[in-house]
Amino acid sequence: MTGWTYYPDLLATPVPRYTSYPTAAEFSDRVGAPELDGALAAIRSDQPVSLYVHIPYCHEICWYCGCNTGAANKAQRLMGYLDTLRAEIELVAGKLAGRGRVKRIAFGGGSPNAISPEQFAELLEELRTAFHADDALLSIELDPRSLSGPWFEAIGAARIGRASLGVQTLEEKVQRSIGRIQPEPLIRTATDELRKAGVRSLNFDLMYGLPRQGLAELEATLASTIAMRPERIALFGYAHVPHLIPRQRQIDDDNLPDAEMRFAQAELGHRILTHAGYDPIGFDHYARPHDPMSLAARQGRLRRNFQGFTDDNAEVMIGLGASAISQFPGLIAQNEKNSGRYKIRVSSGLLPATHGIVRGADDQKRGRVIEQLLCDGEAEIREFFGRELIDRLQPFLDRGLVTLERGRLRMPDYGRPYARVIASLFDSYRQPAARRFSSAI
């Protein structure tokens, strides 16, 4: 396998992670509830639909986190939020009037286990009843620091087949630098108990580019992770944007690795994980060959949405909860982020979508090219040919990071670290050097 080569000039411009196209940076308040109402009304009776349920609370707030989440330190606050969430479920289910077939339900946050196991069981029962979704495949994001016996029992009783643990790093000095202390035995216990509860596809979220993290620290975390044998590993580059996320100001900039070290960490992770038998998925995920994610990648069915890389092929994803995002072929709509205003809208019988963007034909075509490049490493780009595009592609062509033949653009394995930059060449909205995006590696 050819190694990766570091070209700093090609990675100098921050770019989006492209969990959607157009990205959230293009959302406006000119799109909201009326557009979402129309999109829900257009769902066919037998159309596959996925649900995403957002719990915007955590027992402890980590300094690095960019999620829309708050402290779960008041029982009344959680109960009030869940009451509003149930009201939204009834509202959306009423709009669908039995149309659509819910095939998947994903719980994310924040931390879904910020609520009690009993509250989770009640919420799941409401979802299954409202959307006739008894057989839906279930997945959940979990904070291992607040997992206990009752939660493992609830996960088993719910028949949850997929779970994702927020691990980030197993090195104590790095954990202290990001405000997230969780000893390795805690992660091992959570892993063992989730297996016993019936979870068959377990993901570890890991990060590189963290403060006080060098190659040795990353390698140690990867070695321990591989020993626990999760089916999936997401290895993200930490996005340090304190001008957008105030809690990140607690992280000392002087302790962060530079761009060249981040590149070396990403390459080390790729080399170690692929050597351990994981298949590379897109530009930052890895999966064991038998996992559904890996099978989807080999069969050309891999997709990318707000949950990252996925084997979910549903064209419609309905987001429920404050800040949750709904995605349709022609529309992306985001719910009100503020929990108080979210409650006011739902209590008034209104869909809580307040931001979004209508995806025109050109958006959909460009979005598909971007998704194919990130998921499959290749795409047909003939429709976008022009002198400007070729000029922008030329530095990548010259260095062998892409090839172009008969209108088809392909990235070799060693082009992975440049995938987001290459994809951004097809983004008609992106402004050069925009500070709102994260490092390209």
Side-chain angles (χ1 to χ4, degrees):
M1 178 176 61
T2 303
W4 293 359
T5 302
Y6 179 52
Y7 299 111
D9 57 315
L10 299 183
L11 295 170
T13 302
V15 291
R17 293 186 184 271
Y18 289 115
T19 52
S20 74
Y21 182 81
T23 70
E26 272 60 65
F27 293 2
S28 85
D29 57 9
R30 295 189 298 274
V31 173
E35 288 76 14
L36 178 57
D37 199 355
L40 292 172
I43 291 176
R44 303 185 306 275
S45 294
D46 60 347
Q47 187 166 1
V49 172
S50 296
L51 302 180
Y52 172 77
V53 184
H54 190 69
I55 309 295
Y57 296 100
C58 294
H59 286 297
E60 300 177 62
I61 305 299
C62 304
W63 303 343
Y64 66 85
C65 181
C67 298
N68 178 52
T69 187
N73 54 4
K74 293 182 180 178
Q76 186 139 1
R77 176 187 296 169
L78 289 177
M79 290 176 63
Y81 179 78
L82 290 173
D83 286 344
T84 305
L85 182 56
R86 292 188 190 98
E88 186 192 5
I89 289 169
E90 293 179 9
L91 180 60
V92 172
K95 298 282 186 182
L96 290 177
R99 290 175 291 104
R101 294 292 173 262
V102 174
K103 301 294 187 181
R104 300 186 185 219
I105 304 175
F107 295 88
S111 299
N113 57 315
I115 63 177
S116 72
E118 295 77 18
Q119 289 171 325
F120 173 76
E122 292 172 2
L123 177 61
L124 177 58
E125 182 59 30
E126 295 219 13
L127 287 161
R128 282 173 163 162
T129 300
F131 295 103
H132 310 288
D134 286 343
D135 297 326
L137 188 155
L138 304 180
S139 62
I140 189 168
E141 298 173 5
L142 297 167
D143 183 342
R145 297 171 298 176
S146 50
L147 278 176
S148 60
W151 253 106
F152 296 122
E153 292 172 11
I155 288 168
R159 308 188 306 277
I160 294 177
R162 301 182 182 185
S164 180
L165 281 178
V167 177
Q168 321 313 343
T169 176
L170 293 170
E171 295 301 291
E172 183 180 355
K173 70 175 183 179
V174 184
Q175 291 178 349
R176 291 190 181 281
S177 297
I178 60 175
R180 188 183 181 103
I181 304 298
Q182 46 187 28
E184 185 174 328
L186 177 72
I187 306 300
R188 291 186 179 277
T189 297
T191 298
D192 292 342
E193 294 300 320
L194 287 171
R195 298 286 192 211
K196 292 176 186 176
V199 171
R200 293 291 172 261
S201 184
L202 180 62
N203 174 75
F204 277 20
D205 276 349
L206 303 179
M207 299 182 82
Y208 65 86
L210 293 172
R212 303 186 70 190
Q213 182 189 51
L215 295 177
E217 288 77 15
L218 178 60
E219 185 170 5
T221 286
L222 290 171
S224 296
T225 294
I226 290 167
M228 288 182 257
R229 298 183 63 79
E231 280 71 27
R232 302 180 185 182
I233 296 171
L235 182 58
F236 301 107
Y238 165 56
H240 190 60
V241 283
H243 55 285
L244 297 177
I245 304 170
R247 64 177 67 121
Q248 291 186 351
R249 294 171 190 162
Q250 298 173 86
I251 291 177
D252 188 347
D253 293 20
D254 294 336
N255 288 331
L256 293 169
D258 61 19
E260 188 169 5
M261 174 56 76
R262 287 173 63 97
F263 187 92
Q265 289 175 330
E267 182 183 23
L268 177 70
H270 182 79
R271 179 157 40 85
I272 288 175
L273 292 173
T274 53
H275 182 73
Y278 286 86
D279 291 335
I281 307 295
F283 57 85
D284 60 7
H285 280 51
Y286 299 84
R288 293 201 174 276
H290 67 272
D291 189 81
M293 178 91 77
S294 187
L295 294 174
R298 291 199 298 274
Q299 295 169 3
R301 296 184 292 103
L302 189 67
R303 301 296 301 274
R304 187 160 176 80
N305 62 23
F306 291 102
Q307 297 171 68
F309 291 106
T310 178
D311 60 327
D312 183 0
N313 285 311
E315 294 289 339
V316 172
M317 181 173 68
I318 299 173
L320 300 165
S323 81
I325 296 175
S326 298
Q327 188 164 5
F328 304 81
L331 175 72
I332 304 174
Q334 183 172 27
N335 284 354
E336 168 60 53
K337 294 181 181 181
N338 179 274
S339 295
R341 291 193 292 270
Y342 162 74
K343 180 177 182 179
I344 291 172
R345 289 189 64 86
V346 175
S347 299
S348 301
L350 300 174
L351 290 170
T354 55
H355 292 78
I357 190 166
V358 173
R359 301 177 73 226
D362 184 66
D363 290 333
Q364 294 182 49
K365 291 175 184 176
R366 289 178 181 273
R368 188 61 185 144
V369 166
I370 289 171
E371 184 179 40
Q372 287 177 335
L373 286 171
L374 298 181
C375 291
D376 306 327
E378 61 179 86
E380 170 62 55
I381 66 165
R382 199 187 314 267
E383 186 170 355
F384 301 100
F385 268 10
R387 188 69 260 166
E388 181 181 355
L389 175 62
I390 298 302
D391 287 345
R392 297 177 76 187
L393 276 172
Q394 202 61 53
F396 302 92
L397 292 165
D398 291 344
R399 286 152 168 160
L401 298 172
V402 290
T403 61
L404 181 58
E405 185 177 358
R406 297 178 181 178
R408 193 153 197 86
L409 191 68
R410 289 186 172 90
M411 285 186 296
D413 182 78
Y414 51 85
R416 287 179 188 273
Y418 300 90
R420 286 164 56 198
V421 183
I422 293 166
S424 73
L425 303 182
F426 298 89
D427 185 341
S428 64
Y429 295 87
R430 191 178 65 86
Q431 299 299 312
R435 293 182 70 242
R436 61 194 173 189
F437 302 129
S438 62
S439 168
I441 187 67

